[in-house]
Amino acid sequence: MSWLNISGSAKALVYGKELEQSGGIIITRNETEATTIASEIPFFYPGLTERVVYLPEGEVLPYDLETTPPSIKAVRATALTRLMSGIENPILVISGPNLMQPVAAKSFWLGSQFELKIGSTLPDGHEKLLEAWGYTKSFRVKSPSTWSQRGKVF
């Protein structure tokens, strides 16, 4: 469905109403529009907050020497995990260029995670697992993608 003559916040209002019952994918022209729509749908429809999944671009070109910033990796990983875990009728908001980026298989996202809660025990080999996911062990956690452990405190 395309509403080319609708602009501004009206897009989020219309998309939210149209996808409220069935869910779906909103493909935007660019990342700015995707961010805006993903944040505005829950404003107009608070009941859809848990169903809106925004998948940001990696912000790195294939030939770049740098990697995606840790904060964006975390948002992407959270979004993909939410999608893979079976949200009922999700509303995915993604930009067109981002839609073309490759993504790891569902088995990777569901098999490469563990949940931490107060009092839980870390799985065996958690250090290697965290390193494989791109986390760096540090003396003090100062930024996303770093972790620290003191005795039994993680």
Side-chain angles (χ1 to χ4, degrees), residues 15-30:
Y15 291 150
K17 183 65 176 170
E18 186 67 30
L19 301 173
E20 189 172 21
Q21 300 299 319
S22 62
I25 300 174
I26 300 169
I27 303 170
T28 64
R29 292 183 184 128
N30 56 49

Side-chain angles (χ1 to χ4, degrees), residues 77-109:
T78 301
L80 290 168
T81 301
R82 286 182 60 211
L83 286 170
M84 303 292 176
S85 64
I87 297 173
E88 189 173 333
N89 299 323
I91 299 171
L92 174 63
V93 183
I94 187 169
S95 68
N98 188 19
L99 189 61
M100 304 311 291
Q101 291 182 4
V103 175
K106 183 176 182 177
S107 59
F108 170 82
W109 289 106

Side-chain angles (χ1 to χ4, degrees), residues 3-112:
W3 294 283
L4 297 176
N5 296 327
I6 297 173
S7 62
S9 296
K11 284 184 180 181
L13 186 65
V14 171
Y15 291 150
K17 183 65 176 170
E18 186 67 30
L19 301 173
E20 189 172 21
Q21 300 299 319
S22 62
I25 300 174
I26 300 169
I27 303 170
T28 64
R29 292 183 184 128
N30 56 49
E31 194 65 15
T32 304
E33 188 177 13
T35 305
T36 303
I37 290 172
S39 64
E40 288 179 347
I41 289 175
F43 175 79
F44 292 117
Y45 303 95
L48 298 180
T49 301
E50 294 300 316
R51 291 178 41 210
V52 174
V53 179
Y54 164 62
L55 188 63
E57 283 187 21
E59 289 192 352
V60 177
L61 298 171
Y63 50 82
D64 281 349
L65 298 176
E66 298 179 16
T67 64
T68 303
S71 58
I72 293 176
K73 281 184 185 179
V75 173
R76 284 183 61 84
T78 301
L80 290 168
T81 301
R82 286 182 60 211
L83 286 170
M84 303 292 176
S85 64
I87 297 173
E88 189 173 333
N89 299 323
I91 299 171
L92 174 63
V93 183
I94 187 169
S95 68
N98 188 19
L99 189 61
M100 304 311 291
Q101 291 182 4
V103 175
K106 183 176 182 177
S107 59
F108 170 82
W109 289 106
L110 295 179
S112 299

Side-chain angles (χ1 to χ4, degrees), residues 67-71 73-74 130-131 133-138 141-148:
T67 64
T68 303
S71 58
K73 281 184 185 179
L130 289 169
E131 287 176 13
W133 292 343
Y135 288 88
T136 306
K137 187 174 184 177
S138 65
V141 175
K142 293 182 181 180
S143 64
S145 81
T146 59
W147 66 279
S148 181

